[in-house]
CSV table of all heavy atoms in Angstrom, one decimal:
chain,number,residue,atom,x,y,z
U,1,GLY,N,198.7,34.9,95.4
U,1,GLY,CA,198.9,35.1,93.9
U,1,GLY,C,199.4,36.5,93.6
U,1,GLY,O,199.4,37.4,94.4
U,2,TRP,N,199.9,36.6,92.3
U,2,TRP,CA,200.3,37.9,91.7
U,2,TRP,C,199.4,38.1,90.5
U,2,TRP,O,199.3,37.2,89.7
U,2,TRP,CB,201.8,37.8,91.4
U,2,TRP,CG,202.8,37.9,92.6
U,2,TRP,CD1,203.4,36.9,93.0
U,2,TRP,CD2,203.2,39.1,93.2
U,2,TRP,NE1,204.2,37.3,94.1
U,2,TRP,CE2,204.1,38.6,94.2
U,2,TRP,CE3,202.9,40.4,93.1
U,2,TRP,CZ2,204.7,39.5,95.0
U,2,TRP,CZ3,203.5,41.3,93.9
U,2,TRP,CH2,204.3,40.9,95.0
U,3,PHE,N,198.9,39.3,90.5
U,3,PHE,CA,198.2,39.8,89.3
U,3,PHE,C,198.8,41.1,88.8
U,3,PHE,O,199.5,41.7,89.6
U,3,PHE,CB,196.7,39.9,89.7
U,3,PHE,CG,196.0,38.7,89.9
U,3,PHE,CD1,196.1,38.0,91.2
U,3,PHE,CD2,195.1,38.1,88.9
U,3,PHE,CE1,195.4,36.8,91.3
U,3,PHE,CE2,194.4,37.0,89.2
U,3,PHE,CZ,194.6,36.3,90.3
U,4,ARG,N,198.5,41.4,87.7
U,4,ARG,CA,199.0,42.7,87.1
U,4,ARG,C,198.0,43.4,86.2
U,4,ARG,O,197.1,42.8,85.7
U,4,ARG,CB,200.4,42.5,86.3
U,4,ARG,CG,200.2,41.7,85.1
U,4,ARG,CD,201.6,41.5,84.5
U,4,ARG,NE,201.5,40.7,83.2
U,4,ARG,CZ,202.5,40.2,82.6
U,4,ARG,NH1,203.7,40.3,83.0
U,4,ARG,NH2,202.4,39.7,81.4
U,5,ARG,N,198.1,44.7,86.2
U,5,ARG,CA,197.3,45.5,85.4
U,5,ARG,C,198.2,46.5,84.6
U,5,ARG,O,198.7,47.3,85.1
U,5,ARG,CB,196.2,46.2,86.2
U,5,ARG,CG,195.1,46.9,85.3
U,5,ARG,CD,194.3,47.9,86.0
U,5,ARG,NE,193.8,47.5,87.3
U,5,ARG,CZ,192.6,46.8,87.5
U,5,ARG,NH1,191.8,46.6,86.5
U,5,ARG,NH2,192.3,46.5,88.7
U,6,ALA,N,198.1,46.3,83.2
U,6,ALA,CA,198.9,47.1,82.4
U,6,ALA,C,197.9,48.2,81.9
U,6,ALA,O,196.7,48.1,82.0
U,6,ALA,CB,199.3,46.3,81.2
U,7,PRO,N,198.6,49.4,81.5
U,7,PRO,CA,197.7,50.5,81.1
U,7,PRO,C,196.7,50.1,80.0
U,7,PRO,O,197.1,49.5,79.0
U,7,PRO,CB,198.8,51.5,80.5
U,7,PRO,CG,200.1,51.1,81.3
U,7,PRO,CD,200.0,49.7,81.4
U,8,GLY,N,195.5,50.5,80.3
U,8,GLY,CA,194.4,50.2,79.3
U,8,GLY,C,194.0,48.7,79.2
U,8,GLY,O,193.2,48.4,78.4
U,9,LYS,N,194.5,47.9,80.2
U,9,LYS,CA,194.2,46.5,80.0
U,9,LYS,C,193.4,46.1,81.4
U,9,LYS,O,193.6,46.8,82.4
U,9,LYS,CB,195.5,45.6,79.9
U,9,LYS,CG,196.3,45.9,78.7
U,9,LYS,CD,195.6,45.5,77.5
U,9,LYS,CE,196.4,45.7,76.2
U,9,LYS,NZ,195.8,45.2,75.0
U,10,GLU,N,192.8,44.9,81.3
U,10,GLU,CA,192.2,44.3,82.4
U,10,GLU,C,193.3,43.6,83.4
U,10,GLU,O,194.4,43.3,82.9
U,10,GLU,CB,191.1,43.3,82.0
U,10,GLU,CG,190.0,43.9,81.4
U,10,GLU,CD,189.2,44.8,82.3
U,10,GLU,OE1,189.0,44.5,83.4
U,10,GLU,OE2,188.8,45.8,81.6
U,11,ARG,N,192.9,43.6,84.5
U,11,ARG,CA,193.8,42.8,85.5
U,11,ARG,C,194.0,41.3,85.1
U,11,ARG,O,193.0,40.7,84.7
U,11,ARG,CB,193.4,42.9,87.0
U,11,ARG,CG,194.3,42.3,88.0
U,11,ARG,CD,193.8,42.7,89.3
U,11,ARG,NE,192.4,42.4,89.7
U,11,ARG,CZ,191.8,42.8,90.7
U,11,ARG,NH1,192.4,43.6,91.5
U,11,ARG,NH2,190.5,42.4,90.9
U,12,GLU,N,195.2,40.8,85.0
U,12,GLU,CA,195.4,39.5,84.6
U,12,GLU,C,196.3,38.7,85.6
U,12,GLU,O,197.1,39.2,86.3
U,12,GLU,CB,196.0,39.4,83.2
U,12,GLU,CG,197.5,39.9,83.2
U,12,GLU,CD,198.1,39.8,81.9
U,12,GLU,OE1,197.6,39.1,81.0
U,12,GLU,OE2,199.2,40.4,81.7
U,13,PHE,N,196.0,37.4,85.6
U,13,PHE,CA,196.8,36.5,86.5
U,13,PHE,C,198.3,36.4,86.0
U,13,PHE,O,198.5,36.3,84.8
U,13,PHE,CB,196.2,35.1,86.4
U,13,PHE,CG,197.0,34.1,87.2
U,13,PHE,CD1,197.0,33.9,88.5
U,13,PHE,CD2,197.7,33.1,86.4
U,13,PHE,CE1,197.8,32.9,89.1
U,13,PHE,CE2,198.3,32.1,86.9
U,13,PHE,CZ,198.4,32.0,88.3
U,14,VAL,N,199.2,36.3,87.0
U,14,VAL,CA,200.6,36.2,86.7
U,14,VAL,C,201.1,34.9,87.3
U,14,VAL,O,201.7,34.1,86.7
U,14,VAL,CB,201.3,37.3,87.3
U,14,VAL,CG1,202.9,37.1,87.1
U,14,VAL,CG2,201.0,38.6,86.6
U,15,ALA,N,200.9,34.6,88.6
U,15,ALA,CA,201.5,33.5,89.3
U,15,ALA,C,200.7,33.3,90.6
U,15,ALA,O,200.1,34.2,91.1
U,15,ALA,CB,202.8,33.6,89.6
U,16,ALA,N,200.8,32.0,91.1
U,16,ALA,CA,200.1,31.8,92.4
U,16,ALA,C,200.9,30.7,93.1
U,16,ALA,O,201.6,29.8,92.4
U,16,ALA,CB,198.6,31.4,92.2
U,17,ILE,N,200.8,30.6,94.4
U,17,ILE,CA,201.4,29.5,95.1
U,17,ILE,C,200.6,29.1,96.3
U,17,ILE,O,199.9,29.9,96.9
U,17,ILE,CB,202.8,30.0,95.6
U,17,ILE,CG1,203.7,28.8,96.2
U,17,ILE,CG2,202.7,31.1,96.7
U,17,ILE,CD1,205.2,29.2,96.4
U,18,THR,N,200.4,27.8,96.5
U,18,THR,CA,199.8,27.3,97.7
U,18,THR,C,200.7,27.5,98.9
U,18,THR,O,201.9,27.3,98.8
U,18,THR,CB,199.3,25.9,97.6
U,18,THR,OG1,200.5,25.0,97.4
U,18,THR,CG2,198.4,25.7,96.4
U,19,TRP,N,200.1,27.9,100.1
U,19,TRP,CA,200.9,28.2,101.2
U,19,TRP,C,201.5,27.1,101.8
U,19,TRP,O,202.7,27.0,102.3
U,19,TRP,CB,200.1,29.0,102.2
U,19,TRP,CG,200.8,29.7,103.3
U,19,TRP,CD1,200.9,29.4,104.6
U,19,TRP,CD2,201.8,30.8,103.0
U,19,TRP,NE1,201.8,30.2,105.2
U,19,TRP,CE2,202.3,31.1,104.3
U,19,TRP,CE3,202.1,31.5,101.9
U,19,TRP,CZ2,203.2,32.1,104.5
U,19,TRP,CZ3,203.0,32.6,102.1
U,19,TRP,CH2,203.6,32.8,103.3
U,20,SER,N,200.8,26.0,102.0
U,20,SER,CA,201.2,24.9,102.6
U,20,SER,C,202.2,24.1,101.8
U,20,SER,O,203.3,23.7,102.3
U,20,SER,CB,200.0,23.9,103.0
U,20,SER,OG,200.5,22.7,103.6
U,21,GLY,N,201.9,23.7,100.5
U,21,GLY,CA,202.7,22.9,99.8
U,21,GLY,C,203.7,23.5,98.8
U,21,GLY,O,204.6,22.9,98.4
U,22,GLY,N,203.4,24.8,98.6
U,22,GLY,CA,204.4,25.5,97.8
U,22,GLY,C,204.2,25.1,96.3
U,22,GLY,O,205.0,25.4,95.4
U,23,ARG,N,203.0,24.6,95.9
U,23,ARG,CA,202.8,24.4,94.4
U,23,ARG,C,202.5,25.7,93.8
U,23,ARG,O,201.9,26.6,94.2
U,23,ARG,CB,201.5,23.4,94.3
U,23,ARG,CG,201.2,23.2,92.9
U,23,ARG,CD,199.9,22.3,92.8
U,23,ARG,NE,200.1,21.0,93.4
U,23,ARG,CZ,199.3,20.1,93.5
U,23,ARG,NH1,198.0,20.3,92.9
U,23,ARG,NH2,199.5,18.8,94.1
U,24,THR,N,203.2,25.8,92.7
U,24,THR,CA,203.1,27.1,91.8
U,24,THR,C,202.4,26.8,90.5
U,24,THR,O,202.4,25.8,90.0
U,24,THR,CB,204.5,27.6,91.6
U,24,THR,OG1,205.3,26.5,90.9
U,24,THR,CG2,205.2,28.1,92.8
């Protein structure tokens, strides 16, 4: 997965992918 943390913000989810099937 990808997460991000903006200045002054909590870390938030961006995107994810399953390794086997590639579901996003």
Side-chain angles (χ1 to χ4, degrees):
W2 288 97
F3 291 78
R4 66 187 183 187
R5 193 195 308 273
K9 302 291 186 179
E10 297 294 319
R11 185 165 58 191
E12 67 173 349
F13 170 77
V14 177
I17 191 167
T18 59
W19 195 248
S20 179
R23 181 182 295 181
T24 53

